[in-house]
Short mmCIF file of all heavy atoms in Angstrom, two decimals:
data_model
loop_
_atom_site.label_atom_id
_atom_site.label_comp_id
_atom_site.label_asym_id
_atom_site.label_seq_id
_atom_site.Cartn_x
_atom_site.Cartn_y
_atom_site.Cartn_z
N GLU D 276 -7.59 0.39 -6.95
CA GLU D 276 -7.13 -0.98 -7.16
C GLU D 276 -7.70 -1.52 -8.47
O GLU D 276 -8.91 -1.46 -8.70
CB GLU D 276 -7.54 -1.88 -5.99
CG GLU D 276 -7.13 -3.32 -6.23
CD GLU D 276 -7.34 -4.24 -5.04
OE1 GLU D 276 -7.24 -3.79 -3.90
OE2 GLU D 276 -7.60 -5.43 -5.29
N ASN D 278 -8.18 -4.62 -9.50
CA ASN D 278 -9.17 -5.70 -9.37
C ASN D 278 -10.51 -5.17 -8.84
O ASN D 278 -11.57 -5.68 -9.20
CB ASN D 278 -8.63 -6.79 -8.44
CG ASN D 278 -9.27 -8.15 -8.66
OD1 ASN D 278 -8.75 -9.17 -8.22
ND2 ASN D 278 -10.41 -8.23 -9.34
N HIS D 279 -10.48 -4.12 -8.03
CA HIS D 279 -11.74 -3.51 -7.58
C HIS D 279 -12.45 -2.83 -8.74
O HIS D 279 -13.68 -2.85 -8.83
CB HIS D 279 -11.48 -2.49 -6.48
CG HIS D 279 -10.94 -3.09 -5.21
ND1 HIS D 279 -10.70 -2.36 -4.07
CD2 HIS D 279 -10.60 -4.37 -4.90
CE1 HIS D 279 -10.24 -3.15 -3.12
NE2 HIS D 279 -10.15 -4.37 -3.61
N ASN D 306 -2.58 -4.59 -9.15
CA ASN D 306 -2.81 -6.04 -9.25
C ASN D 306 -3.65 -6.28 -10.48
O ASN D 306 -3.81 -5.38 -11.32
CB ASN D 306 -3.48 -6.58 -7.97
CG ASN D 306 -4.86 -6.02 -7.71
OD1 ASN D 306 -5.47 -5.40 -8.60
ND2 ASN D 306 -5.37 -6.23 -6.52
N ASP D 315 -12.45 -11.20 -5.99
CA ASP D 315 -11.22 -10.41 -5.94
C ASP D 315 -10.02 -11.34 -5.81
O ASP D 315 -9.73 -11.81 -4.71
CB ASP D 315 -11.35 -9.49 -4.72
CG ASP D 315 -10.29 -8.42 -4.67
OD1 ASP D 315 -9.62 -8.19 -5.69
OD2 ASP D 315 -10.13 -7.81 -3.60
N ASP D 317 -6.76 -10.71 -6.67
CA ASP D 317 -5.48 -10.05 -6.30
C ASP D 317 -4.26 -10.71 -6.94
O ASP D 317 -3.30 -11.06 -6.25
CB ASP D 317 -5.31 -10.05 -4.77
CG ASP D 317 -6.25 -9.07 -4.08
OD1 ASP D 317 -6.75 -8.16 -4.75
OD2 ASP D 317 -6.47 -9.23 -2.86
N ASP D 347 -0.79 -4.90 -4.24
CA ASP D 347 -1.80 -5.59 -3.44
C ASP D 347 -2.11 -6.89 -4.19
O ASP D 347 -3.18 -7.05 -4.78
CB ASP D 347 -3.05 -4.73 -3.27
CG ASP D 347 -4.08 -5.41 -2.40
OD1 ASP D 347 -3.77 -6.46 -1.81
OD2 ASP D 347 -5.21 -4.90 -2.30
MN1 LIG I 517 -8.19 -6.77 -4.04
#
Side-chain angles (χ1 to χ4, degrees):
E276 177 173 329
N278 203 164
H279 294 183
N306 64 13
D315 191 15
D317 288 341
D347 182 8

